[in-house]
């Protein structure tokens, strides 16, 4: 017979210890997995909203928005700036608000950028600053990660942390591919809901070859409204909160531990790369290869990178539980190093024949970043106690979420100065080498300080 754990005010579980085998089998397992699947659904929506701007931006020039390349890169950068900043705040909220309230409220906030973008992009005369603000608000989706992931980590025993966090983050990351894959399809027809809201009039989209076609670009944001409302209802109805409480000041102790900063650097290398390249992949294709005759459609390829990275995060979560996170992180950082070096030869192309190699090395970067995204989240719960591990997970995720902002602005600046982003890839290669050294010395080598 399943054990029922009493709650306070219908929200806070009165006792919780996932390391207790009897409690886990009697009640904990069911509660933990239910929490995982609901928060994962909502996290996927959060990533969709966070990266919908990158899918919309490549279409803006075709419907009449007169923006420069730098301005377009800044639009893809703003969700990253907001995501990183908001994650710093969301990091400290799980022990304060609890899982139920945090996930419900955070998911409801996604409606703001979704409805805002739906209306703003219908008019090409919409001021640039308005789109910048809406791009910043899309970063709410990025901020949610640092609240959802630590919340989930409270529910699982250490032996399942890699699996649970790998599943949640990996499936959540699929949101990037979902929005980039579905956007070209949903903008091709009038949604039933659009008709109700009198948004059924299409815009005229002018392709690079001069041909025009109707497009319902506002659908790219509006289509997610119903899914968000479902997520809000699921979170409020079925989620509970564990009795892990701490105020802001008590949680600052993580910053006195050097391993917080080492893991932050490692997660910037892995997830920062995943999120950064996810944001700029489509624009890089347009900027570097769009000048050639028969140029590829950026969105036909851009979703592949996040898809690969997300799948690897899910697959390697259980493998990290089995083989250890540090070993896989070593493979990840070295793989990204070699991929970045290889990619640098194909970012100043002279013909379209180089495009397959460009895509291949980009996918290799996503491949190894996906492995590292899973393995680093296995390392953190092994290095720190549960409460501090949750804080470190949230903090590292917050800093790494600046990836889209950093990658977009740096690439835009380098392209504006040199005409191609080769120097950027040299720089990230050096960063990957540094992190490979840190991981080997502190975690992966024989006799390491914190083998994990």
């Amino acid at each position: 017979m399943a054990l029922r754990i009493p709650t306070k005010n219908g929200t806070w579980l009165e006792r919780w210890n996932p390391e207790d085998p009897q409690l886990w089998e009697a009640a904990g397992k069911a509660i933990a997995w239910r929490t995982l699947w609901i928060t994962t659904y909502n996290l996927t929506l959060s990533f969709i909203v966070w990266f919908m701007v990158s899918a919309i931006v490549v279409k803006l020039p075709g419907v009449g928005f007169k923006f420069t390349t730098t301005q377009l890169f800044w639009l893809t950068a703003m969700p990253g700036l907001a995501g990183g900043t908001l994650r710093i705040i969301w990091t400290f909220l799980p022990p304060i608000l609890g899982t139920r309230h945090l996930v419900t409220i955070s998911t409801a906030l996604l409606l703001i950028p979704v409805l805002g973008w739906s209306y703003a992009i219908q008019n090409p005369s919409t001021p640039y600053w308005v789109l910048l603000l809406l791009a910043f608000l899309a970063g709410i989706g990025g901020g949610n990660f640092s609240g959802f992931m630590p919340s989930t980590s409270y529910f699982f025993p250490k032996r399942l942390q890699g699996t649970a966090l790998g599943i949640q983050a990996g499936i959540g990351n699929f949101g990037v591919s979902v929005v980039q894959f579905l956007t070209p399809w949903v903008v091709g027809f009038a949604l039933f809901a659009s008709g109700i809201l009198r948004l059924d009039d299409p815009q005229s989209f002018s392709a690079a070859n001069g041909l025009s076609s109707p497009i319902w670009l506002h659908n790219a944001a509006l289509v997610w409204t119903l899914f968000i409302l479902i997520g809000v209802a699921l979170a409020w109805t079925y989620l509970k909160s564990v009795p892990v409480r701490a105020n802001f000041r008590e949680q600052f102790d993580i910053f006195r531990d050097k391993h917080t900063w080492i893991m932050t650097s490692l997660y910037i290398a892995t997830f920062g790369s995943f999120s950064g390249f996810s944001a700029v992949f489509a624009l890089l294709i347009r900027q570097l290869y769009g000048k050639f005759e028969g140029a590829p459609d950026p969105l036909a390829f851009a979703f592949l990178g996040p898809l690969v990275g997300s799948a690897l995060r899910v697959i390697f979560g259980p493998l990290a539980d089995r083989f250890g996170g540090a070993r896989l992180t070593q493979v990840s950082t070295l793989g990204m190093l070699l991929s970045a070096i290889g990619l640098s030869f194909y970012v100043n192309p002279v013909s379209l024949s180089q495009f397959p190699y460009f895509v291949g090395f980009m996918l290799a970067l996503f491949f190894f970043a996906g492995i590292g995204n899973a393995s680093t989240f296995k390392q953190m719960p092994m290095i720190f106690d549960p409460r501090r591990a949750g804080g470190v997970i949230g903090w590292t995720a917050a800093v790494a979420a600046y990836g889209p902002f950093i990658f977009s602005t740096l690439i835009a600046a380098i392209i504006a100065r040199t005409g191609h982003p080769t120097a950027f890839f040299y720089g990230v290669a050096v960063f990957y080498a540094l992190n490979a050294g840190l991981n080997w010395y502190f975690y992966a080598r024989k006799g390491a300080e914190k083998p994990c």
Side-chain angles (χ1 to χ4, degrees), residues 43-54 79 107 109-114 117 134-135 137-142 144 175-176 179 221 224 228:
L43 184 62
T44 304
L45 291 173
S46 297
F47 270 86
I48 285 171
V49 173
W50 193 22
F51 281 89
M52 71 178 182
V53 179
S54 68
T107 303
L109 290 175
L110 299 177
L111 291 169
I112 298 173
V114 161
W117 273 96
L134 289 172
L137 291 174
I140 293 172
N144 288 354
V176 184
V179 72
W224 307 113
I228 292 171

PDB file of all heavy atoms in Angstrom, residues 43-54 79 107 109-114 117 134-135 137-142 144 175-176 179 221 224 228:
ATOM      1  N   LEU A  43       9.426  23.052 -18.358  1.00  0.00           N
ATOM      2  CA  LEU A  43      10.756  23.516 -18.735  1.00  0.00           C
ATOM      3  C   LEU A  43      10.914  23.521 -20.259  1.00  0.00           C
ATOM      4  O   LEU A  43      11.562  24.421 -20.818  1.00  0.00           O
ATOM      5  CB  LEU A  43      11.831  22.633 -18.097  1.00  0.00           C
ATOM      6  CG  LEU A  43      13.282  23.062 -18.345  1.00  0.00           C
ATOM      7  CD1 LEU A  43      13.541  24.441 -17.752  1.00  0.00           C
ATOM      8  CD2 LEU A  43      14.256  22.045 -17.759  1.00  0.00           C
ATOM      9  N   THR A  44      10.321  22.532 -20.920  1.00  0.00           N
ATOM     10  CA  THR A  44      10.360  22.514 -22.385  1.00  0.00           C
ATOM     11  C   THR A  44       9.687  23.756 -22.957  1.00  0.00           C
ATOM     12  O   THR A  44      10.201  24.390 -23.882  1.00  0.00           O
ATOM     13  CB  THR A  44       9.671  21.244 -22.921  1.00  0.00           C
ATOM     14  OG1 THR A  44      10.293  20.093 -22.356  1.00  0.00           O
ATOM     15  CG2 THR A  44       9.769  21.175 -24.441  1.00  0.00           C
ATOM     16  N   LEU A  45       8.541  24.133 -22.397  1.00  0.00           N
ATOM     17  CA  LEU A  45       7.868  25.368 -22.820  1.00  0.00           C
ATOM     18  C   LEU A  45       8.743  26.589 -22.554  1.00  0.00           C
ATOM     19  O   LEU A  45       8.773  27.535 -23.354  1.00  0.00           O
ATOM     20  CB  LEU A  45       6.540  25.513 -22.081  1.00  0.00           C
ATOM     21  CG  LEU A  45       5.441  24.517 -22.445  1.00  0.00           C
ATOM     22  CD1 LEU A  45       4.251  24.676 -21.509  1.00  0.00           C
ATOM     23  CD2 LEU A  45       4.996  24.719 -23.900  1.00  0.00           C
ATOM     24  N   SER A  46       9.458  26.556 -21.438  1.00  0.00           N
ATOM     25  CA  SER A  46      10.339  27.683 -21.102  1.00  0.00           C
ATOM     26  C   SER A  46      11.438  27.851 -22.142  1.00  0.00           C
ATOM     27  O   SER A  46      11.747  28.971 -22.566  1.00  0.00           O
ATOM     28  CB  SER A  46      10.961  27.466 -19.713  1.00  0.00           C
ATOM     29  OG  SER A  46       9.966  27.432 -18.711  1.00  0.00           O
ATOM     30  N   PHE A  47      12.035  26.733 -22.575  1.00  0.00           N
ATOM     31  CA  PHE A  47      13.072  26.813 -23.603  1.00  0.00           C
ATOM     32  C   PHE A  47      12.487  27.241 -24.951  1.00  0.00           C
ATOM     33  O   PHE A  47      13.136  27.944 -25.725  1.00  0.00           O
ATOM     34  CB  PHE A  47      13.799  25.475 -23.728  1.00  0.00           C
ATOM     35  CG  PHE A  47      14.994  25.354 -22.831  1.00  0.00           C
ATOM     36  CD1 PHE A  47      14.852  24.921 -21.519  1.00  0.00           C
ATOM     37  CD2 PHE A  47      16.258  25.696 -23.279  1.00  0.00           C
ATOM     38  CE1 PHE A  47      15.949  24.824 -20.677  1.00  0.00           C
ATOM     39  CE2 PHE A  47      17.367  25.601 -22.448  1.00  0.00           C
ATOM     40  CZ  PHE A  47      17.214  25.163 -21.133  1.00  0.00           C
ATOM     41  N   ILE A  48      11.276  26.811 -25.245  1.00  0.00           N
ATOM     42  CA  ILE A  48      10.615  27.242 -26.479  1.00  0.00           C
ATOM     43  C   ILE A  48      10.480  28.754 -26.503  1.00  0.00           C
ATOM     44  O   ILE A  48      10.816  29.413 -27.497  1.00  0.00           O
ATOM     45  CB  ILE A  48       9.237  26.561 -26.606  1.00  0.00           C
ATOM     46  CG1 ILE A  48       9.410  25.085 -27.001  1.00  0.00           C
ATOM     47  CG2 ILE A  48       8.354  27.287 -27.618  1.00  0.00           C
ATOM     48  CD1 ILE A  48       8.130  24.281 -26.945  1.00  0.00           C
ATOM     49  N   VAL A  49       9.988  29.316 -25.405  1.00  0.00           N
ATOM     50  CA  VAL A  49       9.807  30.766 -25.339  1.00  0.00           C
ATOM     51  C   VAL A  49      11.156  31.480 -25.362  1.00  0.00           C
ATOM     52  O   VAL A  49      11.320  32.526 -26.007  1.00  0.00           O
ATOM     53  CB  VAL A  49       9.002  31.152 -24.079  1.00  0.00           C
ATOM     54  CG1 VAL A  49       8.954  32.669 -23.902  1.00  0.00           C
ATOM     55  CG2 VAL A  49       7.589  30.574 -24.164  1.00  0.00           C
ATOM     56  N   TRP A  50      12.148  30.917 -24.684  1.00  0.00           N
ATOM     57  CA  TRP A  50      13.473  31.539 -24.618  1.00  0.00           C
ATOM     58  C   TRP A  50      14.104  31.639 -26.008  1.00  0.00           C
ATOM     59  O   TRP A  50      14.746  32.647 -26.338  1.00  0.00           O
ATOM     60  CB  TRP A  50      14.359  30.711 -23.685  1.00  0.00           C
ATOM     61  CG  TRP A  50      15.645  31.373 -23.280  1.00  0.00           C
ATOM     62  CD1 TRP A  50      15.935  32.700 -23.280  1.00  0.00           C
ATOM     63  CD2 TRP A  50      16.818  30.714 -22.777  1.00  0.00           C
ATOM     64  NE1 TRP A  50      17.211  32.918 -22.820  1.00  0.00           N
ATOM     65  CE2 TRP A  50      17.773  31.725 -22.509  1.00  0.00           C
ATOM     66  CE3 TRP A  50      17.139  29.386 -22.538  1.00  0.00           C
ATOM     67  CZ2 TRP A  50      19.042  31.422 -22.002  1.00  0.00           C
ATOM     68  CZ3 TRP A  50      18.398  29.098 -22.028  1.00  0.00           C
ATOM     69  CH2 TRP A  50      19.336  30.101 -21.767  1.00  0.00           C
ATOM     70  N   PHE A  51      13.899  30.629 -26.842  1.00  0.00           N
ATOM     71  CA  PHE A  51      14.570  30.596 -28.140  1.00  0.00           C
ATOM     72  C   PHE A  51      13.641  30.891 -29.319  1.00  0.00           C
ATOM     73  O   PHE A  51      14.078  30.824 -30.462  1.00  0.00           O
ATOM     74  CB  PHE A  51      15.262  29.247 -28.342  1.00  0.00           C
ATOM     75  CG  PHE A  51      16.568  29.150 -27.611  1.00  0.00           C
ATOM     76  CD1 PHE A  51      16.612  28.697 -26.309  1.00  0.00           C
ATOM     77  CD2 PHE A  51      17.755  29.546 -28.220  1.00  0.00           C
ATOM     78  CE1 PHE A  51      17.806  28.631 -25.615  1.00  0.00           C
ATOM     79  CE2 PHE A  51      18.954  29.485 -27.542  1.00  0.00           C
ATOM     80  CZ  PHE A  51      18.995  29.021 -26.233  1.00  0.00           C
ATOM     81  N   MET A  52      12.384  31.240 -29.060  1.00  0.00           N
ATOM     82  CA  MET A  52      11.497  31.546 -30.187  1.00  0.00           C
ATOM     83  C   MET A  52      11.977  32.791 -30.934  1.00  0.00           C
ATOM     84  O   MET A  52      11.740  32.933 -32.134  1.00  0.00           O
ATOM     85  CB  MET A  52      10.058  31.727 -29.710  1.00  0.00           C
ATOM     86  CG  MET A  52       9.781  32.977 -28.916  1.00  0.00           C
ATOM     87  SD  MET A  52       8.042  33.108 -28.446  1.00  0.00           S
ATOM     88  CE  MET A  52       8.080  34.704 -27.579  1.00  0.00           C
ATOM     89  N   VAL A  53      12.663  33.690 -30.230  1.00  0.00           N
ATOM     90  CA  VAL A  53      13.176  34.895 -30.879  1.00  0.00           C
ATOM     91  C   VAL A  53      14.184  34.538 -31.963  1.00  0.00           C
ATOM     92  O   VAL A  53      14.187  35.136 -33.048  1.00  0.00           O
ATOM     93  CB  VAL A  53      13.803  35.855 -29.846  1.00  0.00           C
ATOM     94  CG1 VAL A  53      14.367  37.099 -30.535  1.00  0.00           C
ATOM     95  CG2 VAL A  53      12.769  36.251 -28.801  1.00  0.00           C
ATOM     96  N   SER A  54      15.045  33.550 -31.698  1.00  0.00           N
ATOM     97  CA  SER A  54      16.049  33.166 -32.692  1.00  0.00           C
ATOM     98  C   SER A  54      15.393  32.606 -33.948  1.00  0.00           C
ATOM     99  O   SER A  54      15.949  32.710 -35.050  1.00  0.00           O
ATOM    100  CB  SER A  54      17.022  32.137 -32.103  1.00  0.00           C
ATOM    101  OG  SER A  54      16.380  30.901 -31.855  1.00  0.00           O
ATOM    102  N   PRO A  79      17.483  37.690 -25.174  1.00  0.00           N
ATOM    103  CA  PRO A  79      16.971  36.627 -24.309  1.00  0.00           C
ATOM    104  C   PRO A  79      18.063  35.987 -23.454  1.00  0.00           C
ATOM    105  O   PRO A  79      17.811  35.563 -22.321  1.00  0.00           O
ATOM    106  CB  PRO A  79      16.387  35.609 -25.303  1.00  0.00           C
ATOM    107  CG  PRO A  79      16.045  36.419 -26.513  1.00  0.00           C
ATOM    108  CD  PRO A  79      17.132  37.455 -26.595  1.00  0.00           C
ATOM    109  N   THR A 107       5.759  29.600 -14.998  1.00  0.00           N
ATOM    110  CA  THR A 107       5.160  29.190 -16.273  1.00  0.00           C
ATOM    111  C   THR A 107       4.139  30.211 -16.742  1.00  0.00           C
ATOM    112  O   THR A 107       4.068  30.531 -17.935  1.00  0.00           O
ATOM    113  CB  THR A 107       4.514  27.804 -16.129  1.00  0.00           C
ATOM    114  OG1 THR A 107       5.496  26.865 -15.670  1.00  0.00           O
ATOM    115  CG2 THR A 107       3.961  27.322 -17.464  1.00  0.00           C
ATOM    116  N   LEU A 109       4.182  33.352 -16.299  1.00  0.00           N
ATOM    117  CA  LEU A 109       4.877  34.547 -16.802  1.00  0.00           C
ATOM    118  C   LEU A 109       5.279  34.418 -18.266  1.00  0.00           C
ATOM    119  O   LEU A 109       5.515  35.430 -18.940  1.00  0.00           O
ATOM    120  CB  LEU A 109       6.119  34.818 -15.947  1.00  0.00           C
ATOM    121  CG  LEU A 109       5.875  35.316 -14.517  1.00  0.00           C
ATOM    122  CD1 LEU A 109       7.187  35.417 -13.749  1.00  0.00           C
ATOM    123  CD2 LEU A 109       5.173  36.673 -14.534  1.00  0.00           C
ATOM    124  N   LEU A 110       5.344  33.186 -18.790  1.00  0.00           N
ATOM    125  CA  LEU A 110       5.712  32.989 -20.192  1.00  0.00           C
ATOM    126  C   LEU A 110       4.682  33.602 -21.142  1.00  0.00           C
ATOM    127  O   LEU A 110       4.986  33.881 -22.307  1.00  0.00           O
ATOM    128  CB  LEU A 110       5.859  31.494 -20.499  1.00  0.00           C
ATOM    129  CG  LEU A 110       6.926  30.728 -19.724  1.00  0.00           C
ATOM    130  CD1 LEU A 110       6.877  29.245 -20.090  1.00  0.00           C
ATOM    131  CD2 LEU A 110       8.318  31.292 -20.006  1.00  0.00           C
ATOM    132  N   LEU A 111       3.465  33.809 -20.655  1.00  0.00           N
ATOM    133  CA  LEU A 111       2.423  34.390 -21.509  1.00  0.00           C
ATOM    134  C   LEU A 111       2.762  35.817 -21.925  1.00  0.00           C
ATOM    135  O   LEU A 111       2.314  36.282 -22.980  1.00  0.00           O
ATOM    136  CB  LEU A 111       1.074  34.376 -20.776  1.00  0.00           C
ATOM    137  CG  LEU A 111       0.458  32.988 -20.548  1.00  0.00           C
ATOM    138  CD1 LEU A 111      -0.725  33.093 -19.591  1.00  0.00           C
ATOM    139  CD2 LEU A 111       0.028  32.375 -21.872  1.00  0.00           C
ATOM    140  N   ILE A 112       3.545  36.519 -21.123  1.00  0.00           N
ATOM    141  CA  ILE A 112       3.861  37.921 -21.434  1.00  0.00           C
ATOM    142  C   ILE A 112       4.642  38.045 -22.745  1.00  0.00           C
ATOM    143  O   ILE A 112       4.205  38.755 -23.663  1.00  0.00           O
ATOM    144  CB  ILE A 112       4.636  38.572 -20.265  1.00  0.00           C
ATOM    145  CG1 ILE A 112       3.786  38.578 -18.997  1.00  0.00           C
ATOM    146  CG2 ILE A 112       5.053  40.003 -20.636  1.00  0.00           C
ATOM    147  CD1 ILE A 112       4.538  39.058 -17.758  1.00  0.00           C
ATOM    148  N   PRO A 113       5.800  37.383 -22.900  1.00  0.00           N
ATOM    149  CA  PRO A 113       6.510  37.512 -24.180  1.00  0.00           C
ATOM    150  C   PRO A 113       5.774  36.850 -25.339  1.00  0.00           C
ATOM    151  O   PRO A 113       5.842  37.329 -26.477  1.00  0.00           O
ATOM    152  CB  PRO A 113       7.857  36.830 -23.917  1.00  0.00           C
ATOM    153  CG  PRO A 113       7.607  35.905 -22.780  1.00  0.00           C
ATOM    154  CD  PRO A 113       6.582  36.590 -21.928  1.00  0.00           C
ATOM    155  N   VAL A 114       5.056  35.757 -25.089  1.00  0.00           N
ATOM    156  CA  VAL A 114       4.352  35.065 -26.170  1.00  0.00           C
ATOM    157  C   VAL A 114       3.288  35.971 -26.789  1.00  0.00           C
ATOM    158  O   VAL A 114       3.221  36.137 -28.018  1.00  0.00           O
ATOM    159  CB  VAL A 114       3.718  33.758 -25.634  1.00  0.00           C
ATOM    160  CG1 VAL A 114       2.627  33.264 -26.565  1.00  0.00           C
ATOM    161  CG2 VAL A 114       4.787  32.683 -25.479  1.00  0.00           C
ATOM    162  N   TRP A 117       5.037  39.250 -28.501  1.00  0.00           N
ATOM    163  CA  TRP A 117       5.597  39.029 -29.831  1.00  0.00           C
ATOM    164  C   TRP A 117       4.507  38.786 -30.864  1.00  0.00           C
ATOM    165  O   TRP A 117       4.631  39.196 -32.026  1.00  0.00           O
ATOM    166  CB  TRP A 117       6.570  37.843 -29.803  1.00  0.00           C
ATOM    167  CG  TRP A 117       7.956  38.240 -29.420  1.00  0.00           C
ATOM    168  CD1 TRP A 117       8.523  38.184 -28.190  1.00  0.00           C
ATOM    169  CD2 TRP A 117       8.952  38.796 -30.281  1.00  0.00           C
ATOM    170  NE1 TRP A 117       9.805  38.660 -28.216  1.00  0.00           N
ATOM    171  CE2 TRP A 117      10.098  39.041 -29.494  1.00  0.00           C
ATOM    172  CE3 TRP A 117       8.991  39.111 -31.641  1.00  0.00           C
ATOM    173  CZ2 TRP A 117      11.270  39.585 -30.021  1.00  0.00           C
ATOM    174  CZ3 TRP A 117      10.160  39.652 -32.170  1.00  0.00           C
ATOM    175  CH2 TRP A 117      11.272  39.884 -31.362  1.00  0.00           C
ATOM    176  N   LEU A 134      10.816  43.039 -25.817  1.00  0.00           N
ATOM    177  CA  LEU A 134      10.137  41.742 -25.893  1.00  0.00           C
ATOM    178  C   LEU A 134      11.142  40.590 -25.953  1.00  0.00           C
ATOM    179  O   LEU A 134      10.898  39.509 -25.409  1.00  0.00           O
ATOM    180  CB  LEU A 134       9.216  41.711 -27.105  1.00  0.00           C
ATOM    181  CG  LEU A 134       7.966  42.586 -27.006  1.00  0.00           C
ATOM    182  CD1 LEU A 134       7.236  42.626 -28.337  1.00  0.00           C
ATOM    183  CD2 LEU A 134       7.046  42.071 -25.902  1.00  0.00           C
ATOM    184  N   ALA A 135      12.273  40.817 -26.624  1.00  0.00           N
ATOM    185  CA  ALA A 135      13.321  39.797 -26.660  1.00  0.00           C
ATOM    186  C   ALA A 135      13.877  39.566 -25.257  1.00  0.00           C
ATOM    187  O   ALA A 135      14.160  38.434 -24.859  1.00  0.00           O
ATOM    188  CB  ALA A 135      14.435  40.212 -27.616  1.00  0.00           C
ATOM    189  N   LEU A 137      12.205  40.013 -22.475  1.00  0.00           N
ATOM    190  CA  LEU A 137      11.170  39.319 -21.703  1.00  0.00           C
ATOM    191  C   LEU A 137      11.091  37.840 -22.053  1.00  0.00           C
ATOM    192  O   LEU A 137      10.687  37.018 -21.223  1.00  0.00           O
ATOM    193  CB  LEU A 137       9.813  39.990 -21.930  1.00  0.00           C
ATOM    194  CG  LEU A 137       9.668  41.394 -21.332  1.00  0.00           C
ATOM    195  CD1 LEU A 137       8.337  42.011 -21.751  1.00  0.00           C
ATOM    196  CD2 LEU A 137       9.784  41.346 -19.810  1.00  0.00           C
ATOM    197  N   ALA A 138      11.474  37.486 -23.278  1.00  0.00           N
ATOM    198  CA  ALA A 138      11.521  36.064 -23.636  1.00  0.00           C
ATOM    199  C   ALA A 138      12.523  35.323 -22.759  1.00  0.00           C
ATOM    200  O   ALA A 138      12.435  34.100 -22.596  1.00  0.00           O
ATOM    201  CB  ALA A 138      11.890  35.903 -25.112  1.00  0.00           C
ATOM    202  N   GLY A 139      13.462  36.069 -22.185  1.00  0.00           N
ATOM    203  CA  GLY A 139      14.446  35.474 -21.289  1.00  0.00           C
ATOM    204  C   GLY A 139      13.854  34.930 -20.007  1.00  0.00           C
ATOM    205  O   GLY A 139      14.537  34.230 -19.254  1.00  0.00           O
ATOM    206  N   ILE A 140      12.571  35.234 -19.723  1.00  0.00           N
ATOM    207  CA  ILE A 140      11.901  34.616 -18.577  1.00  0.00           C
ATOM    208  C   ILE A 140      11.986  33.095 -18.700  1.00  0.00           C
ATOM    209  O   ILE A 140      12.187  32.381 -17.723  1.00  0.00           O
ATOM    210  CB  ILE A 140      10.432  35.075 -18.506  1.00  0.00           C
ATOM    211  CG1 ILE A 140      10.349  36.570 -18.169  1.00  0.00           C
ATOM    212  CG2 ILE A 140       9.660  34.256 -17.468  1.00  0.00           C
ATOM    213  CD1 ILE A 140       8.953  37.148 -18.264  1.00  0.00           C
ATOM    214  N   GLY A 141      11.836  32.611 -19.930  1.00  0.00           N
ATOM    215  CA  GLY A 141      11.941  31.170 -20.156  1.00  0.00           C
ATOM    216  C   GLY A 141      13.301  30.628 -19.771  1.00  0.00           C
ATOM    217  O   GLY A 141      13.417  29.518 -19.238  1.00  0.00           O
ATOM    218  N   GLY A 142      14.350  31.394 -20.036  1.00  0.00           N
ATOM    219  CA  GLY A 142      15.684  30.975 -19.646  1.00  0.00           C
ATOM    220  C   GLY A 142      15.867  31.011 -18.142  1.00  0.00           C
ATOM    221  O   GLY A 142      16.525  30.148 -17.559  1.00  0.00           O
ATOM    222  N   ASN A 144      13.718  30.392 -15.859  1.00  0.00           N
ATOM    223  CA  ASN A 144      13.008  29.305 -15.183  1.00  0.00           C
ATOM    224  C   ASN A 144      13.892  28.096 -14.892  1.00  0.00           C
ATOM    225  O   ASN A 144      13.674  27.378 -13.913  1.00  0.00           O
ATOM    226  CB  ASN A 144      11.816  28.859 -16.030  1.00  0.00           C
ATOM    227  CG  ASN A 144      10.691  29.883 -16.018  1.00  0.00           C
ATOM    228  OD1 ASN A 144      10.743  30.874 -15.289  1.00  0.00           O
ATOM    229  ND2 ASN A 144       9.679  29.644 -16.830  1.00  0.00           N
ATOM    230  N   GLY A 175      13.178  21.889 -26.351  1.00  0.00           N
ATOM    231  CA  GLY A 175      12.357  23.047 -26.694  1.00  0.00           C
ATOM    232  C   GLY A 175      13.000  23.941 -27.727  1.00  0.00           C
ATOM    233  O   GLY A 175      12.315  24.560 -28.551  1.00  0.00           O
ATOM    234  N   VAL A 176      14.333  23.998 -27.710  1.00  0.00           N
ATOM    235  CA  VAL A 176      15.051  24.813 -28.690  1.00  0.00           C
ATOM    236  C   VAL A 176      14.823  24.264 -30.094  1.00  0.00           C
ATOM    237  O   VAL A 176      14.513  25.004 -31.037  1.00  0.00           O
ATOM    238  CB  VAL A 176      16.560  24.852 -28.375  1.00  0.00           C
ATOM    239  CG1 VAL A 176      17.274  25.791 -29.337  1.00  0.00           C
ATOM    240  CG2 VAL A 176      16.800  25.271 -26.928  1.00  0.00           C
ATOM    241  N   VAL A 179      10.976  24.662 -31.294  1.00  0.00           N
ATOM    242  CA  VAL A 179      10.552  25.970 -31.798  1.00  0.00           C
ATOM    243  C   VAL A 179      11.210  26.286 -33.140  1.00  0.00           C
ATOM    244  O   VAL A 179      10.585  26.870 -34.030  1.00  0.00           O
ATOM    245  CB  VAL A 179      10.829  27.073 -30.754  1.00  0.00           C
ATOM    246  CG1 VAL A 179      12.323  27.371 -30.616  1.00  0.00           C
ATOM    247  CG2 VAL A 179      10.064  28.337 -31.095  1.00  0.00           C
ATOM    248  N   ALA A 221       4.773  32.721 -32.140  1.00  0.00           N
ATOM    249  CA  ALA A 221       4.663  32.934 -30.695  1.00  0.00           C
ATOM    250  C   ALA A 221       3.297  32.502 -30.167  1.00  0.00           C
ATOM    251  O   ALA A 221       3.202  31.824 -29.144  1.00  0.00           O
ATOM    252  CB  ALA A 221       4.899  34.408 -30.369  1.00  0.00           C
ATOM    253  N   TRP A 224       1.911  28.810 -28.788  1.00  0.00           N
ATOM    254  CA  TRP A 224       2.290  28.190 -27.515  1.00  0.00           C
ATOM    255  C   TRP A 224       1.374  28.575 -26.361  1.00  0.00           C
ATOM    256  O   TRP A 224       1.526  28.047 -25.251  1.00  0.00           O
ATOM    257  CB  TRP A 224       3.739  28.561 -27.180  1.00  0.00           C
ATOM    258  CG  TRP A 224       4.665  28.235 -28.304  1.00  0.00           C
ATOM    259  CD1 TRP A 224       5.356  29.111 -29.087  1.00  0.00           C
ATOM    260  CD2 TRP A 224       4.958  26.924 -28.820  1.00  0.00           C
ATOM    261  NE1 TRP A 224       6.066  28.442 -30.047  1.00  0.00           N
ATOM    262  CE2 TRP A 224       5.839  27.097 -29.911  1.00  0.00           C
ATOM    263  CE3 TRP A 224       4.561  25.642 -28.460  1.00  0.00           C
ATOM    264  CZ2 TRP A 224       6.321  26.019 -30.640  1.00  0.00           C
ATOM    265  CZ3 TRP A 224       5.040  24.564 -29.190  1.00  0.00           C
ATOM    266  CH2 TRP A 224       5.911  24.758 -30.262  1.00  0.00           C
ATOM    267  N   ILE A 228       0.992  26.605 -22.618  1.00  0.00           N
ATOM    268  CA  ILE A 228       1.429  27.261 -21.384  1.00  0.00           C
ATOM    269  C   ILE A 228       0.323  27.204 -20.336  1.00  0.00           C
ATOM    270  O   ILE A 228       0.577  26.914 -19.154  1.00  0.00           O
ATOM    271  CB  ILE A 228       1.843  28.719 -21.670  1.00  0.00           C
ATOM    272  CG1 ILE A 228       3.114  28.739 -22.523  1.00  0.00           C
ATOM    273  CG2 ILE A 228       2.052  29.490 -20.375  1.00  0.00           C
ATOM    274  CD1 ILE A 228       3.486  30.119 -23.045  1.00  0.00           C
TER     275      ILE A 228
END
